Amino acid sequence: MAYGSQQADADKLDGKSKIQVKYTLARSLYAHGYYERVLNVLSNQVQTDAINELTALSLYQLQRLSDLQKQINALPAGQRKEQLNWLLVEPTSKSQQTKLIDFLVAEPLNELRLVILKRAIENQWVNSAQVGNLLEELKPKAQSMRHQLWLSLFSIDIKANLGDNTLIQQLNELIKLAEQTYHPLHGELAALHLLAAKSYAQLGNLANQERSMNQATYILEQLAPLHNGLHFRALLDQYRYYLAANDIYPARTFLSRAYAICSLNKPSCNSALYDLILLRAELGETQLLQEDAKLWLENNPIQNQRYFDIWLALNNSHRTVLKNSLSLSLDSLKIMTPQQITDWVTLLIRHQHREALVPEITGYLLQYANQNPLLAHNLLAFNRVIPNELIEQDKPNLVLTAKKLDASKEQFTLPDADIQITPSQYVQSIHLPKRDTVMTIGTDYEITWEASKLPGNTLNLFINHDTHRPDNSYKQFSGIKSVRWKHAASNIANNGKFTIDPYDFMANGANKYKVLLVSELGYWSLSDGLFSIASGVAKDNGLEHFFNPDLLVEAITYPNAFDIYTVGKTSEITWDPNTLQGKYLHFYVLHDSTKGLGSGTDVNIDAVYNKRWYLFSTHIANTGRYELDPALFNGRGNNYKLLIISDLGYWCVSQGRFSVLFHG
């Protein structure tokens, strides 16, 4: 193509022919996304209407809007200037909207009209009904297959909003046709895939949505740095797709890639970096967060709420801070949201930064806390760690305000520990266990966390006993509140490490569990992902009652293999009292592996002694039936067996394995 441009400049061609050759060359370059080269080829040429239009379109595609504005301003007044101006302006009145529609439906349906049509639809300059009518009027005027593809895909996109699932087949056929029409690595094919992905999403067809997004991203990566703006948009679409599914890691990856190819002085890029910093905070990517946050703050020095989001993320990432670095002025506090102010007080508690609460600031916070139970709760916590005279004087009012959390959706009291937690007091600090960790009963395991991030002196440890919940159900505080939490340990020193035998969790199963650490001040942290608890060899079998190895009988009639108990739902255990002789019975449930144990009268006595058993009921009358809430089993999973021992030394073991589930 460079050779073609040189030939056009040769003396053999007259001026008119040179212009025509260069224009033809520029159109070909434009079609393949070489917009900068279009401008180079057309520079210093006689400015015909066709050249002006192609130059304007190239500037628009490059988003060099100030240069585009200069070019349009230099044109003489008239229809051509008015038409090109739609690349920059939008209709602000019904009369302007009518002018726009009249321009779009005029002959011919050329590149300028197609680009402005896309702009009108994407920016919702006209409503869905108007777009539908406009597309129907334009379809007969389509002069090429690419025009037909765009119009047809826009039509499906409008109809997809109505939830018509029969459109999926039409959409599949159009995408197949597009792949036959374009070169496999054509930028416009990528753009069509992105539009199709949007329609697939509206139709609920996630598999094809993901396919089209992946195809678009692949094409644009191969063509980089061409179509940079479209590539940026494709990566953002991927980021939003995974973020909506609470799949944070791939969301972070695509957002990071989008930021890597954009220019920070553009608002869209600045916004991408903002989102990336907050994602890094959620994932605990401390070093990258600090680098990105400093860059963002340097480029956005004006204090506003987004500024304080990044400022808080940056300061939360530091284990130690310089004296007075957390101090804020009253003017700053007046800009911040209630949540940001509450988070700031949490920072002060963590770093024991008493100097920040000067009388003027404290007075403002106390006044503000009268209407903010979360802030009142945090100020009370601050006063427990760093006594403050003004807070102490207003303590009765703060206590009354903080109690309003009891009836709020933004508060939850954990069982057995009487500790209240709120969303604002969450911190990310747990290192282990993490996603896919496997603990084995009978083997000590370390729970580790970053103590400096979790304000308080002592901690309580909890584990979920709901085994039917996916990991993303813990993303919302409402989901955490609805979990049945088991209190596993208390009075843990907040030193970053605690050793536990997973037996104390009273649970087993693969990829089902999270731990929750909570300080006495109400600050809490949740482990990442779901971990597993595997059965193992017990150190202490837990048996407290004697049985005679020779008095094994087969007596249990329920539960049997694969039976299911549901916590909270009254259930029963049944047996033959004539076979299991005695006046009173003691009930144990297995909290270990069933491997090698056996059932009925074929039980390995050595395995019984080496397994870990949990005594859940004692001195039960031998009537043949015992009614109970399966919560007594003190565990959740699918690896349980019963052992019943009578006061005369008779004993029996249930058949197979049964399950204990949480109702939900």
Side-chain angles (χ1 to χ4, degrees):
M1 289 185 179
Y3 176 74
S5 182
Q6 291 170 3
Q7 288 296 99
D9 287 325
D11 293 335
K12 296 177 182 178
L13 296 176
D14 59 34
K16 187 175 181 181
S17 297
K18 286 181 182 180
I19 294 172
Q20 186 59 44
V21 169
K22 287 204 168 190
Y23 175 70
T24 302
L25 175 61
R27 284 188 60 184
S28 179
L29 289 167
Y30 179 90
H32 288 85
Y34 294 95
Y35 307 122
E36 288 284 2
R37 294 189 188 180
V38 171
L39 298 176
N40 291 336
V41 169
L42 296 181
S43 63
N44 302 318
Q45 297 300 309
V46 176
Q47 298 302 299
T48 65
D49 282 351
I51 288 177
N52 279 328
E53 182 176 306
L54 194 54
T55 301
L57 285 168
S58 298
L59 290 170
Y60 173 79
Q61 299 289 6
L62 292 167
Q63 288 296 287
R64 287 170 49 180
L65 302 184
S66 59
D67 291 334
L68 176 57
Q69 184 71 71
K70 290 177 184 177
Q71 185 210 0
I72 294 174
N73 288 343
L75 295 176
Q79 188 180 51
R80 172 55 54 179
K81 184 172 186 175
E82 187 176 292
Q83 291 172 352
L84 292 177
N85 213 37
W86 288 119
L87 292 169
L88 290 171
V89 301
E90 60 182 78
T92 56
S93 65
K94 283 190 175 182
S95 62
Q96 285 185 322
Q97 190 181 79
T98 301
K99 278 187 176 182
L100 171 65
I101 293 174
D102 288 344
F103 164 66
L104 291 174
V105 299
E107 299 283 359
L109 178 55
N110 58 12
E111 182 64 20
L112 178 62
R113 286 184 172 84
L114 184 61
V115 169
I116 293 172
L117 174 65
K118 293 177 193 175
R119 203 167 170 245
I121 293 174
E122 289 170 359
N123 292 292
Q124 299 180 336
W125 292 349
V126 286
N127 60 41
S128 296
Q130 290 173 310
V131 172
N133 294 333
L134 183 57
L135 293 172
E136 290 304 313
E137 191 170 349
L138 287 173
K139 281 180 182 178
K141 301 176 182 180
Q143 298 180 334
S144 66
M145 179 57 71
R146 60 183 292 270
H147 287 170
Q148 292 175 17
L149 285 167
W150 275 110
L151 296 177
S152 297
L153 280 169
F154 274 131
S155 292
I156 288 181
D157 189 55
I158 296 301
K159 295 173 185 175
N161 288 320
L162 305 176
D164 184 355
N165 290 330
T166 62
L167 294 172
I168 292 175
Q169 185 58 39
Q170 295 178 40
L171 196 51
N172 292 342
E173 291 171 0
L174 283 171
I175 284 300
K176 185 177 180 180
L177 182 59
E179 290 174 339
Q180 294 169 352
T181 302
Y182 289 90
H183 185 279
L185 295 180
H186 198 291
E188 195 157 287
L189 178 58
L192 290 168
H193 268 299
L194 287 180
L195 178 56
K198 178 171 173 279
S199 297
Y200 280 128
Q202 291 165 338
L203 292 166
N205 192 308
L206 298 184
N208 276 324
Q209 178 193 359
E210 196 163 338
R211 175 187 175 274
S212 276
M213 287 194 302
N214 289 339
Q215 284 292 102
T217 305
Y218 172 77
I219 292 169
L220 294 166
E221 283 174 348
Q222 303 310 305
L223 296 175
L226 300 179
H227 307 286
N228 202 54
L230 189 63
H231 190 189
F232 176 72
R233 195 183 109 201
L235 292 169
L236 283 186
D237 284 352
Q238 294 267 35
Y239 151 66
R240 295 184 184 113
Y241 172 78
Y242 286 104
L243 187 67
N246 284 317
D247 208 344
I248 303 300
Y249 288 94
R252 182 277 319 276
T253 298
F254 281 109
L255 184 58
S256 181
R257 286 165 60 186
Y259 170 63
I261 66 169
C262 68
S263 175
L264 192 55
N265 60 357
K266 292 184 177 179
S268 58
C269 192
N270 194 53
S271 181
L273 181 57
Y274 169 87
D275 290 343
L276 181 59
I277 293 165
L278 298 186
L279 266 187
R280 294 203 191 286
E282 189 170 346
L283 294 171
E285 297 176 343
T286 303
Q287 184 174 347
L288 290 171
L289 181 154
Q290 291 173 356
E291 293 172 3
D292 291 343
K294 289 174 183 176
L295 178 62
W296 194 94
L297 291 171
E298 286 173 7
N299 285 273
N300 297 271
I302 299 175
Q303 290 189 355
N304 54 31
Q305 291 175 357
R306 288 170 71 90
Y307 173 94
F308 285 111
D309 278 339
I310 303 303
W311 185 87
L312 286 165
L314 177 60
N315 283 289
N316 270 316
S317 71
H318 291 300
R319 293 189 179 186
T320 59
V321 295
L322 296 174
K323 189 174 182 180
N324 295 325
S325 65
L326 297 181
S327 296
L328 292 174
S329 68
L330 187 58
D331 288 339
S332 294
L333 290 181
K334 289 179 178 179
I335 295 171
M336 297 165 74
T337 66
Q339 183 63 58
Q340 288 172 336
I341 292 175
T342 304
D343 291 345
W344 176 61
V345 176
T346 297
L347 264 177
L348 301 183
I349 294 170
R350 183 186 306 160
H351 296 288
Q352 298 193 17
H353 198 339
R354 80 172 64 241
E355 294 83 0
L357 291 196
V358 297
E360 180 187 39
I361 298 295
T362 306
Y364 175 80
L365 293 176
L366 289 171
Q367 184 179 6
Y368 199 63
N370 288 331
Q371 305 298 324
N372 189 324
L374 289 174
L375 180 56
H377 193 280
N378 266 22
L379 287 175
L380 289 169
F382 182 95
N383 193 47
R384 287 198 295 273
V385 177
I386 311 167
N388 181 289
E389 184 178 348
L390 291 178
I391 296 176
E392 186 65 31
Q393 290 174 3
D394 203 38
K395 188 174 179 179
N397 291 329
L398 290 172
V399 170
L400 287 174
T401 304
K403 283 183 177 179
K404 294 177 183 177
L405 284 171
D406 294 342
S408 168
K409 294 180 180 179
E410 299 300 303
Q411 177 271 339
F412 174 51
T413 301
L414 287 156
D416 302 326
D418 195 28
I419 298 175
Q420 293 180 348
I421 63 173
T422 66
S424 67
Q425 293 174 295
Y426 169 76
V427 293
Q428 190 168 15
S429 68
I430 296 178
H431 299 312
L432 294 173
K434 57 185 179 181
R435 186 184 305 271
D436 298 328
T437 291
V438 178
M439 297 185 183
T440 302
I441 291 173
T443 302
D444 286 345
Y445 192 87
E446 281 192 346
I447 310 291
T448 63
W449 65 96
E450 195 164 341
S452 63
K453 288 188 174 182
L454 196 59
N457 296 316
T458 60
L459 306 176
N460 284 267
L461 176 66
F462 298 83
I463 186 170
N464 63 301
H465 267 194
D466 300 13
T467 57
H468 66 293
R469 294 175 179 268
D471 188 23
N472 60 14
S473 67
Y474 294 86
K475 297 294 183 182
Q476 302 296 326
F477 190 69
S478 58
I480 291 170
K481 286 177 62 178
S482 64
V483 171
R484 183 183 289 257
W485 293 100
K486 161 72 178 175
H487 193 189
S490 59
N491 294 317
I492 301 169
N494 188 11
N495 59 13
K497 184 185 297 185
F498 177 67
T499 301
I500 190 170
D501 181 341
Y503 169 77
D504 295 325
F505 288 138
M506 298 300 176
N508 67 74
N511 296 320
K512 295 180 178 180
Y513 300 103
K514 281 183 175 286
V515 293
L516 174 70
L517 277 176
V518 187
S519 77
E520 83 279 10
L521 298 179
Y523 292 91
W524 57 282
S525 188
L526 199 63
S527 61
D528 177 50
L530 298 171
F531 67 90
S532 303
I533 300 176
S535 300
V537 177
K539 296 178 180 177
D540 174 7
N541 66 19
L543 294 174
E544 300 179 15
H545 300 90
F546 166 81
F547 63 87
N548 187 333
D550 297 327
L551 296 180
L552 172 64
V553 296
E554 188 171 353
I556 297 173
T557 55
Y558 189 87
N560 292 300
F562 309 116
D563 283 329
I564 296 174
Y565 285 99
T566 303
V567 171
K569 182 179 179 181
T570 302
S571 305
E572 64 180 13
I573 299 169
T574 60
W575 65 95
D576 182 354
N578 296 316
T579 303
L580 188 62
Q581 297 179 35
K583 186 176 182 181
Y584 296 106
L585 304 177
H586 311 292
F587 288 76
Y588 292 85
V589 65
L590 182 67
H591 276 189
D592 210 324
S593 169
T594 59
K595 185 177 181 180
L597 184 60
S599 298
T601 55
D602 185 19
V603 175
N604 185 328
I605 187 67
D606 291 330
V608 173
Y609 286 126
N610 285 320
K611 299 294 182 183
R612 180 169 291 191
W613 300 91
Y614 175 71
L615 178 65
F616 64 90
S617 291
T618 187
H619 291 89
I620 303 300
N622 189 6
T623 62
R625 181 175 181 273
Y626 175 45
E627 192 173 272
L628 78 163
D629 181 342
L632 288 177
F633 293 139
N634 205 15
R636 309 293 179 270
N638 59 0
N639 205 34
Y640 293 102
K641 292 177 78 72
L642 289 180
L643 168 65
I644 307 178
I645 303 174
S646 79
D647 57 342
L648 297 180
Y650 286 83
W651 59 290
C652 58
V653 176
S654 61
Q655 296 283 349
R657 299 179 303 167
F658 65 89
S659 299
V660 182
L661 304 179
F662 174 68
H663 178 70

